[in-house]
Amino acid sequence: MKKENRKEEIILTATKLFKKKGYSAVTMRDLAKEMGIKAASLYNHIKSKQDILTNIIISLAEEFTSEMNDILNSDLNSIDKLNKIIAVHVKITSNNPNGMASLNNDWMHLEEKLDYYLTLRTKYEDDFREIIKQGISSNEIIDSNPEIMLFSMLSTLRSLYLWIPKKEDINPTELANNLGLVLINGVKK
Amino acid sequence: MKKENRKEEIILTATKLFKKKGYSAVTMRDLAKEMGIKAASLYNHIKSKQDILTNIIISLAEEFTSEMNDILNSDLNSIDKLNKIIAVHVKITSNNPNGMASLNNDWMHLEEKLDYYLTLRTKYEDDFREIIKQGISSNEIIDSNPEIMLFSMLSTLRSLYLWIPKKEDINPTELANNLGLVLINGVKK
DNA sequence: GTCTATATTTTGATAGAC
DNA sequence: GTCTATCAAAATATAGAC
């Protein structure tokens, strides 16, 4: 499986470049140069530039879907489900912050897999919203606009990729705990 | 000043396209088609594609800088300064949600004005951080990691452009108030 | 598995007619 | 102020030698 290894190396390098300039601004020549080979050589391992993007985004989207399913199937209360969601974002983002940049900013450049991605994404947001509404029903969460709460938490979690690489001194567990406190309890004393 | 009008029309149309696909993926031919003219005609009004991007981003960045200076020069307490910052983001984003997409996602494609943009941005973040630290000192804000609080609030505020266009039923004042409650007081009952 | 060479399209931008 | 025609550079991708 030497070929698979090389393919993953290409994807990893591409992920780094996509984070810096975005999918559209990175050329196959940029990617090849970064790998120390010629652009034509890339095509022995990947089908197309689009193939790389699809690989990065879909694997991450499926990972989130899988983790969300675990949370839905758990018997945690709503607040603990939210804390679990936060921990999932911290974990996945810590493992692949560059890939999260593509997931957030370049999904619209997916071609064949765009519809599939949008299905996963919508489902994730619906599940998240439902957990918040459950928490309001069970009196764990304030009876405020669930849409605003969803937006606020999801925005922060989706931006983690910008922040985690700069704060390598904080370990994931501690970060998830602190972030949970801020997102769930607010900043006011 | 007919020329200026046409230039602004081009910038407005470009802003809309940049939001949808990002600066790099939008071609001058795309832009011309959307305006109902030929690509070559664009160059009677703008200097280059880069010229358009610079226009969009720098004017917004300067607007934020100006508003932050007003807040710094006010005698509000720290919590009210945070509420004011939230209101500023809601206001600017409501006026130009598409432009905020470029500010957030395409600033790295600035050329001549990149350093200037980064100066404004760093200053803004430093000022924001200082307000949080002030609030901790004055016992208004919990003595938690100010970096995490800054990150969390700024992430949400920077993502407003994705959300405001979908929620046209909510007026800016109400949105700023609700968002302030969630960001400052949290979601927990 | 990488190379050179190359095909084909597309890109930002200019020149000059109307 | 917009057009047609065009340029030069850069893009993705393929073919075939080594």
Side-chain angles (χ1 to χ4, degrees):
Chain A
M1 294 278 172
K2 276 235 172 86
K3 193 173 179 185
E4 277 301 301
N5 265 342
R6 198 79 173 121
K7 176 169 181 175
E8 273 168 44
E9 214 181 316
I10 291 172
I11 290 172
L12 210 68
T13 307
T15 306
K16 193 176 74 182
L17 297 183
F18 290 170
K19 152 88 188 281
K20 219 189 302 190
K21 308 203 297 171
Y23 173 74
S24 302
V26 173
T27 71
M28 296 304 274
R29 285 172 181 81
D30 291 337
L31 176 52
K33 193 167 217 171
E34 187 79 12
M35 305 252 339
I37 57 178
K38 295 288 171 183
S41 308
L42 294 170
Y43 291 88
N44 247 296
H45 308 283
I46 51 104
K47 211 176 78 230
S48 63
K49 191 185 173 189
Q50 174 70 200
D51 184 36
I52 300 175
L53 184 69
T54 303
N55 228 293
I56 295 169
I57 292 181
I58 297 300
S59 63
L60 279 168
E62 288 179 340
E63 205 178 338
F64 276 104
T65 298
S66 162
E67 294 278 7
M68 179 61 92
N69 283 334
D70 290 352
I71 292 172
L72 291 177
N73 291 330
S74 74
D75 55 358
L76 298 169
N77 64 38
S78 301
I79 290 288
D80 284 342
K81 279 182 180 162
L82 292 185
N83 273 313
K84 199 76 200 298
I85 290 175
I86 293 168
V88 162
H89 277 262
V90 170
K91 186 186 77 176
I92 295 179
T93 306
S94 296
N95 287 338
N96 187 4
N98 295 334
M100 289 302 299
S102 298
L103 184 71
N104 280 318
N105 304 321
D106 283 321
W107 57 265
M108 72 286 282
H109 298 120
L110 287 174
E111 291 164 9
E112 264 177 64
K113 295 282 186 177
L114 177 60
D115 286 347
Y116 175 54
Y117 163 76
L118 288 174
T119 306
L120 294 184
R121 175 189 156 116
T122 302
K123 176 69 162 52
Y124 188 84
E125 290 178 0
D126 288 346
D127 290 341
F128 200 151
R129 186 182 297 106
E130 212 41 56
I131 290 172
I132 294 173
K133 286 184 176 171
Q134 264 291 326
I136 295 174
S137 292
S138 62
N139 239 352
E140 294 171 82
I141 292 174
I142 51 166
D143 190 7
S144 183
N145 189 330
E147 216 58 51
I148 292 187
M149 295 189 267
L150 171 64
F151 159 70
S152 170
M153 287 190 274
L154 208 40
S155 296
T156 299
L157 297 176
R158 283 181 173 156
S159 302
L160 275 169
Y161 78 98
L162 289 169
W163 199 70
I164 282 183
K166 296 191 215 162
K167 304 283 161 184
E168 283 170 344
D169 45 319
I170 302 185
N171 76 63
T173 311
E174 193 189 330
L175 174 57
N177 286 340
N178 285 335
L179 202 54
L181 283 176
V182 169
L183 289 178
I184 292 172
N185 296 314
V187 302
K188 194 173 182 182
K189 198 160 196 171
Chain B
M1 292 276 173
K2 278 236 172 85
K3 195 174 177 183
E4 278 300 301
N5 264 342
R6 198 77 172 123
K7 176 169 180 175
E8 273 168 44
E9 214 182 315
I10 291 172
I11 291 172
L12 209 69
T13 306
T15 307
K16 192 176 75 181
L17 297 183
F18 291 169
K19 151 87 189 283
K20 218 190 302 187
K21 308 203 297 173
Y23 173 73
S24 303
V26 174
T27 71
M28 296 304 275
R29 285 170 180 79
D30 290 338
L31 175 52
K33 191 167 218 171
E34 188 78 12
M35 305 252 338
I37 58 178
K38 296 288 170 182
S41 308
L42 294 170
Y43 291 88
N44 248 295
H45 309 282
I46 51 107
K47 211 176 79 228
S48 63
K49 191 185 175 190
Q50 174 69 203
D51 184 35
I52 300 175
L53 184 69
T54 302
N55 228 293
I56 295 170
I57 293 182
I58 298 300
S59 63
L60 280 167
E62 289 178 339
E63 204 177 341
F64 276 103
T65 298
S66 162
E67 295 277 9
M68 179 61 92
N69 284 333
D70 289 352
I71 293 173
L72 291 177
N73 291 329
S74 74
D75 55 358
L76 298 168
N77 64 38
S78 301
I79 290 288
D80 282 343
K81 280 181 180 162
L82 292 185
N83 273 313
K84 200 77 199 299
I85 290 176
I86 293 168
V88 162
H89 277 262
V90 169
K91 186 185 76 174
I92 295 179
T93 306
S94 296
N95 286 338
N96 187 4
N98 294 334
M100 290 301 299
S102 297
L103 184 72
N104 281 320
N105 304 323
D106 283 321
W107 57 266
M108 70 287 280
H109 298 120
L110 287 174
E111 293 164 8
E112 266 177 62
K113 296 283 188 178
L114 177 59
D115 286 348
Y116 174 56
Y117 163 78
L118 287 174
T119 306
L120 294 184
R121 175 189 155 118
T122 301
K123 176 68 162 49
Y124 188 85
E125 291 178 1
D126 288 346
D127 290 342
F128 200 152
R129 187 183 296 106
E130 211 44 54
I131 290 172
I132 294 173
K133 286 183 177 171
Q134 265 289 326
I136 295 175
S137 292
S138 62
N139 239 352
E140 294 171 81
I141 291 174
I142 51 167
D143 190 8
S144 184
N145 190 331
E147 216 58 51
I148 292 187
M149 294 190 269
L150 171 63
F151 159 70
S152 169
M153 286 190 275
L154 209 39
S155 296
T156 299
L157 297 176
R158 283 181 173 155
S159 302
L160 275 170
Y161 77 98
L162 290 168
W163 199 70
I164 282 183
K166 295 189 215 162
K167 304 282 163 185
E168 284 169 343
D169 44 319
I170 303 185
N171 77 65
T173 312
E174 192 189 332
L175 174 56
N177 286 341
N178 284 336
L179 202 53
L181 284 176
V182 169
L183 289 179
I184 292 173
N185 297 314
V187 302
K188 195 173 179 181
K189 200 159 196 171

